[in-house]
Amino acid sequence: DTGVSQNPRHKITKRGQNVTFRCDPISEHNRLYWYRQTLGQGPEFLTYFQNEAQLEKSRLLSDRFSAERPKGSFSTLEIQRTEQGDSAMYLCASSLVQGIYGYTFGSGTRLTVV
Amino acid sequence: GIQVEQSPPDLILQEGANSTLRCNFSDSVNNLQWFHQNPWGQLINLFYIPSGTKQNGRLSATTVATERYSLLYISSSQTTDSGVYFCAAFLQTSGSRLTFGEGTQLTVNP
């Protein structure tokens, strides 16, 4: 197992375009989380899944954001009609429900909206 | 609301020095983790430590859950220790979300 994998690593898009990011968690982890981090700040929670069910969404997740985990394995995060304020690092993490090792984060996808 | 506070916000050391980073949290915790964010943005898990003391090489951490704080010790610091250190807590009142502090920016000079 190579840990949590995120693709792409970097994405530059024009304002108004749609973008989609992918996260592949650690295979035996049943929880998957999305976080957003802006420059100089700590990561902020967006949403999380337990298996394929999306159990919690932050108020940060506007209607332009949607996340899926269709088979309880990988997840996608889509941003529609991107805005410059969406520029950030998008981080994915996974964990076990009863884990004693906590969260494991991926390397992130850095989004720049121009 | 739920708060995780870290101090100091910035720390500059000479190589070989020791340091202590502090994390205060406002509620009872199920999970307390320390992360190091490298220059490429990846969060490296240092410790999962909801209570007690753990050591890993030159790093150690102590969480006193009853007093709602955790400390990260770095001994004999090296330039590769530079980066941002985050404390994050999974708080009982916040569901499953991990709440991060603002981080401590550590710079170790040669």
Side-chain angles (χ1 to χ4, degrees):
Chain A
D1 190 5
T2 56
V4 178
S5 176
Q6 291 189 247
N7 288 287
R9 290 296 308 277
H10 303 274
K11 179 70 176 179
I12 300 174
T13 191
K14 292 184 178 179
R15 189 174 54 185
Q17 297 295 304
N18 299 342
V19 294
T20 300
F21 312 140
R22 176 177 171 128
C23 172
D24 289 88
I26 293 173
S27 56
E28 61 267 29
H29 284 185
N30 44 18
R31 283 192 172 173
L32 185 149
Y33 311 83
W34 286 98
Y35 284 76
R36 183 174 70 184
Q37 185 179 23
T38 53
L39 198 62
Q41 303 295 316
E44 296 175 294
F45 172 82
L46 293 178
T47 188
Y48 96 95
F49 293 83
Q50 183 163 313
N51 301 314
E52 65 274 11
Q54 188 173 17
L55 296 186
E56 190 174 353
K57 293 194 291 186
S58 163
R59 285 173 294 177
L60 292 175
L61 212 67
S62 75
D63 291 345
R64 297 184 297 105
F65 287 70
S66 63
E68 295 182 342
R69 194 183 184 197
K71 297 182 179 179
S73 56
F74 73 91
S75 176
T76 58
L77 178 67
E78 181 183 17
I79 308 174
Q80 296 181 327
R81 305 181 302 281
T82 52
E83 302 173 356
Q84 287 189 320
D86 297 331
S87 295
M89 174 77 89
Y90 289 84
L91 294 161
C92 176
S94 67
S95 74
L96 291 169
V97 174
Q98 300 297 331
I100 61 171
Y101 300 108
Y103 286 42
T104 300
F105 278 84
S107 299
T109 294
R110 186 172 297 281
L111 173 66
T112 303
V113 181
V114 298
Chain B
I2 303 159
Q3 292 188 358
V4 177
E5 297 180 347
Q6 292 186 243
S7 60
D10 298 280
L11 187 59
I12 300 174
L13 302 174
Q14 285 300 121
E15 199 167 25
N18 302 329
S19 63
T20 301
L21 282 57
R22 186 178 179 102
C23 172
N24 293 330
F25 41 91
S26 63
D27 206 336
S28 300
V29 299
N30 302 101
N31 172 11
L32 192 292
Q33 288 185 252
W34 284 96
F35 296 92
H36 176 215
Q37 190 162 42
N38 65 23
W40 298 272
Q42 177 148 21
L43 286 163
I44 308 298
N45 185 13
L46 299 176
F47 293 103
Y48 170 83
I49 186 166
S51 63
T53 297
K54 291 186 179 179
Q55 180 154 9
N56 184 4
R58 296 181 297 103
L59 302 181
S60 65
T62 296
T63 297
V64 183
T66 53
E67 298 186 22
R68 299 181 181 172
Y69 74 89
S70 183
L71 302 173
L72 178 69
Y73 306 95
I74 304 174
S75 63
S76 304
S77 57
Q78 301 176 356
T79 55
T80 52
D81 294 332
S82 296
V84 184
Y85 289 80
F86 286 104
C87 162
F90 176 126
L91 302 179
Q92 289 177 334
T93 57
S94 64
S96 296
R97 59 183 65 191
L98 201 58
T99 301
F100 283 78
E102 296 287 309
T104 292
Q105 174 75 57
L106 175 65
T107 303
V108 182
N109 293 321

